[in-house]
Every structure is written in structure tokens, then in C-alpha cells.
Amino acid sequence: MYDYLIVGSGLFGAVFARQMTDAGKKCLVIDKRTHIGGNVYTQNIDGINVHKYGAHIFHTNDKEIWNYVNSFVEFNRYTNSPLAHFKGKLFNLPFNMNTFYQMWGVTKPEEAREIIDRQIKEAGISTPTNLEEQAISMVGTDIFNVLIKEYTEKQWGRLCKDLPTFIIKRLPIRFTFDNNYFNDKYQGIPIGGYTKLVEGLLADIEVRLEVDYFNQKDALNSIAKKVVFTGKLDEYFNYDLGYLEYRSLRFETECLPIPNFQGNAVVNYTEKDIPFTRILEHKHFEFGTQPSTVITREYSQEWTVKNEPYYPINDEKNEKLANAYKKRAKEIPNVIFGGRLAEYRYYDMHQIVGQALKTAREQNQ
Ligand code: FAD
Ligand code: UDP
């Protein structure tokens, strides 16, 4: 008999399992995939740790969370500084003085400020109600047209006018020459890849792979006092109120016999005529010096039950449906719903670690 059956070996499941095991509880972790780690899983190809489910950069302001993950694996000093490629020209991201210099040739913050303010004024938006209006109110029309509009419409498969404002608020805007994509105090990548982090978390814990909870729900429930479910919220209820929508991704990975393909881990392709959204060159996440390289082209696509769910579509319709499922989830005794899929939320890794630590603390009270 187990104290906890943990469905999903992603970060939420792995952190929770570690904490409860350390508190003396007996845990069984299952995952339907062939590997542990969920979406942070990295696969070693020719000595390069390949981010199989998209680029993952750990960043946090919380010292406890940073120290916690570093206690399982050492993190490097990687700072995310993606580039944007538009019609043969490169721009630095996030939007900062380097971007403004590349866009207009301005060298002083006040010159950049003046251009952006003028464009914002000309657009005449008082209260932004969608992503397009929000973006123009933040950075003006030139940056919107070159770096945001077509990329966002490729990424989300929807017009900027039909998307919520919060998506674009994530990106910093700076009037300094600073290409750091994040504002957080701590940032890095586990040396040796994320799989090493998850292996550390799950050390000495029983894990069964290629086990789908829904194929043997009753048998699995009967061997544990409590269940922690980190899979899809709507799937738990057999989609009986309807499907929650997601944006999915398709990855095309290629090994190349050259040491350096693009000189940076992430290059976004912001024009609509190029079908992929970005190219990752994995070795640069860990400053690799291997003689060959591995690159991944990332294509955005609509989600169907046949492909992986990546980005929840948190619009009004889906929020309403998710809330109806969540209400039912609360009423189920001895089942804890946690993680990005069970909560139908886009969460960064540090938020997932924080929530799993909190959930484990509550269980131990
Ligand atoms: P998951 O990793 O999805 O784990 C859930 C696990 O449950 C999976 O392994 C799945 O196979 C398993 N499972 C589901 N259903 C069943 C079932 N029925 N039976 C058995 N097992 C099941 N965060 C950052 O902080 N920085 C980044 O740079 C970053 N980049 C990202 C890029 C992309 C493209 C995406 C989509 C996300 C990114 N994130 C990033 C977010 C990060 O991936 C998540 O915060 C994190 O992986 C969530 O962990 P989780 O355990 O909640 O979910
Ligand atoms: N975005 C953009 N151009 C870029 C990068 C991002 O317009 O070059 C927008 C896009 O709408 C995206 C959002 O900013 O969905 C958030 O970007 P982030 O890099 O955080 O997206 P993620 O890495 O989660 O896909």
C-alpha cells in the first residue's frame, strides 16, 4: 500500500514525491511517457542535452526555490537572450536599447523614448482591450509590425486583435542595453540537462513508466491512500463537459556536422512567410564545444486529442469550462490536482516547484 500515487513525473509530481518521501511517506510515481521529467525532459544526443519539448530556462526571484533546485543539480550561468530574425535582419530581444538602435539607429534612451511615445500617441489607444492594442501601447507600431504581429499570429493561430492582453505583458521593455529576457534575480540551466534534475528529485522513489492512469484507474487507486493527479483536468472527467483547448507544437530536430549553426540558443523568426516560429540550437544552453550541433525548428499548430497540449487558451470560453471542471475536482476526496495540465494554466517551472513544495507542506501539517 502506498501513501501517494503520483500521476505524472513532471516537475510537479517529482518535487511532491521527493518532499513526501523525505517526510517518511511511501510514494509511487507513474507516467504514460517512456521517460521521466514531463516537458522539461532533455535527451542526450551526441553529448548535447536536447530540450525535447521546447527551450526551458529556469528563472526565479525566490531564493528558497533556487537553492532547492540547486541542491539536486548545479545550475550554470546561462542568461536567455534570444534574437529575432525578420527578413534577413537580426534584432535583440527583449525590447531594449539594442533593439531600438537596430530598428531606428538611435543611440540615446531619450531618442528611443521619443519615437515610441510619438507612435503610441498616433495610435490613439486609451485602454488596450486586446494584444494588438496592448503591444502598440507598450512599444509603438514599428516594433509591433516587425517583431510582434506576425510572430504572435503564427504562434497562436489567431489575430492579435483576438488575443488577450496578458500574453504580451510578460515581455520586459528596457531603455538600457540589456538583452536579458528575464528580470529575475536567479537564472540558469542544470549542468547536464533537466533530466539530471528530475533524476535527483526521484532518486530512490519507485517510478513506473508507460503506464496510463486511465487504463487502470481503479486498480491504481486501490493501492494508494491518496492520488496526486498532474494530467489533463478535462481528461480526468472523461471530457464530459467538453474539451479544453490548447495550442500545440511540432518539433523538427536535425543533427548537423558543423560546430555552430546560429551562434545563439534561440532565434525567433518573426515574419509570417517562414512557417516555424523559432530555431533552438541546444548546445548553446550549456556553452557546448562539441564538433557537431543539434537544432530544432519549432512549429506552432492547433491542438487535437492526437497531439501534445502545450499552451492553454485562457480565453473566456475555456476559463468558464475549466472553472466548471475545477469545481468538481474540489469535491473529489483524496485526490489532489496539481501542475499546469490539472490547473489549465501556463506556469513557469519556478511556479510549479513553489506550488509542489506548498502542496507537500500542507499535506505534512
Ligand atoms: P508536465 O511537465 O506536463 O508533466 C505532467 C506529466 O504527467 C507528463 O509527464 C505526462 O506524461 C504525465 N501524464 C499526464 N497524463 C497522464 C496519465 N493519464 N497517466 C500517466 N501520466 C500522465 N518554464 C520556465 O520556467 N522557463 C521556460 O523557459 C519554459 N519554457 C517553456 C517552453 C514551452 C514550449 C512550454 C510549453 C513550457 C515552458 N515552460 C517554461 C513551462 C514548463 O514546461 C512547465 O512549468 C512545467 O513543465 C510544468 O510541469 P508539470 O509537472 O506541471 O507538467
Ligand atoms: N512575442 C513576440 N515576438 C517575439 C517573442 C514573443 O511577439 O519575438 C510575443 C508572443 O505573442 C508570445 C509572447 O510574446 O506568445 C510571450 O513570449 P514568450 O517568449 O514568453 O513565449 P513562450 O516562450 O512562452 O512561447
Side-chain angles (χ1 to χ4, degrees):
M1 191 72 184
Y2 297 91
D3 292 301
Y4 292 94
L5 167 75
I6 296 155
V7 181
S9 66
L11 266 188
F12 190 97
V15 169
F16 183 85
R18 174 80 272 139
Q19 294 308 102
M20 298 318 291
T21 303
D22 289 352
K25 304 287 189 224
K26 196 170 172 207
C27 298
L28 169 65
V29 179
I30 61 162
D31 205 296
K32 63 181 178 185
R33 293 184 183 170
T34 55
H35 58 75
I36 57 166
N39 280 3
V40 307
Y41 170 69
T42 48
Q43 181 188 13
N44 193 292
I45 300 178
D46 296 338
I48 297 164
N49 294 307
V50 173
H51 294 214
K52 290 294 276 190
Y53 301 90
H56 278 77
I57 300 97
F58 200 98
H59 56 95
T60 182
N61 258 325
D62 189 318
K63 201 169 182 175
E64 186 199 336
I65 290 174
W66 183 242
N67 288 343
Y68 182 80
V69 292
N70 273 272
S71 71
F72 297 98
V73 59
E74 194 185 339
F75 276 61
N76 70 17
R77 59 152 187 87
Y78 179 82
T79 301
N80 196 30
S81 308
L83 290 162
H85 179 285
F86 184 83
K87 300 192 174 165
K89 269 193 86 178
L90 285 175
F91 296 88
N92 285 109
L93 294 173
F95 314 121
N96 73 86
M97 279 306 295
N98 288 308
T99 329
F100 308 145
Y101 173 68
Q102 290 146 352
M103 185 72 69
W104 303 302
V106 293
T107 56
K108 293 280 185 297
E110 67 189 55
E111 295 170 302
R113 190 75 265 184
E114 203 184 299
I115 297 175
I116 290 173
D117 283 350
R118 180 164 37 79
Q119 294 188 358
I120 293 173
K121 203 167 157 216
E122 279 166 10
I125 298 156
S126 46
T127 314
T129 57
N130 57 53
L131 191 150
E132 175 158 334
E133 292 177 358
Q134 179 65 42
I136 294 172
S137 309
M138 279 160 57
V139 289
T141 39
D142 284 351
I143 290 179
F144 173 70
N145 286 326
V146 173
L147 300 178
I148 299 175
K149 184 177 171 20
E150 296 177 18
Y151 180 91
T152 299
E153 293 183 350
K154 264 199 295 196
Q155 167 75 4
W156 292 97
R158 287 156 177 79
L159 296 175
C160 289
K161 283 195 172 81
D162 296 332
L163 286 164
T165 55
F166 74 86
I167 294 175
I168 200 69
K169 287 187 193 161
R170 281 218 291 268
L171 299 195
I173 299 158
R174 298 193 192 103
F175 288 85
T176 53
F177 291 89
D178 178 0
N179 298 327
N180 184 350
Y181 206 60
F182 302 115
N183 286 324
D184 286 343
K185 221 192 279 181
Y186 310 104
Q187 184 174 171
I189 305 270
I191 299 172
Y194 284 91
T195 303
K196 211 170 154 189
L197 167 65
V198 183
E199 278 168 358
L201 286 163
L202 292 174
D204 308 321
I205 297 172
E206 188 180 344
V207 179
R208 294 186 201 163
L209 295 174
E210 296 180 79
V211 176
D212 190 324
Y213 177 61
F214 297 113
N215 289 344
Q216 35 187 304
K217 195 173 169 192
D218 292 340
L220 287 163
N221 285 347
S222 72
I223 58 168
K225 291 180 195 153
K226 285 191 182 178
V227 174
V228 174
F229 179 75
T230 75
K232 287 175 73 224
L233 177 64
D234 50 356
E235 192 178 8
Y236 187 90
F237 296 100
N238 207 15
Y239 307 105
D240 61 4
L241 300 176
Y243 287 90
L244 288 167
E245 291 174 315
Y246 282 89
R247 195 74 184 148
S248 190
L249 300 171
R250 181 169 64 81
F251 299 105
E252 264 178 22
T253 296
E254 214 183 323
C255 303
L256 301 173
I258 53 167
N260 194 357
F261 173 74
Q262 62 184 16
N264 205 42
V266 185
V267 179
N268 292 356
Y269 284 77
T270 59
E271 62 196 275
K272 68 171 185 310
D273 294 338
I274 294 180
F276 44 85
T277 49
R278 44 193 170 191
I279 300 184
L280 316 180
E281 188 171 11
H282 302 269
K283 69 192 306 180
H284 298 309
F285 289 119
E286 294 184 63
F287 317 109
T289 55
Q290 298 84 352
S292 58
T293 194
V294 182
I295 63 164
T296 300
R297 289 184 182 82
E298 190 175 313
Y299 297 81
S300 183
Q301 59 186 26
E302 211 52 30
W303 175 79
T304 68
V305 274
K306 288 203 185 89
N307 51 34
E308 286 286 337
Y310 284 97
Y311 297 95
I313 312 279
N314 293 106
D315 60 10
E316 217 174 294
K317 182 181 86 181
N318 284 289
E319 280 297 279
K320 219 172 136 193
L321 184 56
N323 286 337
Y325 280 125
K326 283 180 193 177
K327 207 168 151 218
R328 283 169 65 181
K330 271 200 189 125
E331 285 156 16
I332 300 176
N334 298 324
V335 181
I336 298 163
F337 289 77
R340 62 173 198 109
L341 293 169
E343 290 198 37
Y344 192 64
R345 272 268 167 280
Y346 181 92
Y347 284 126
D348 277 328
M349 290 178 280
H350 64 282
Q351 295 171 305
I352 290 290
V353 172
Q355 280 162 13
L357 289 174
K358 183 169 169 271
T359 309
R361 265 196 298 267
E362 285 163 2
Q363 289 295 304
N364 281 324
Q365 269 168 9

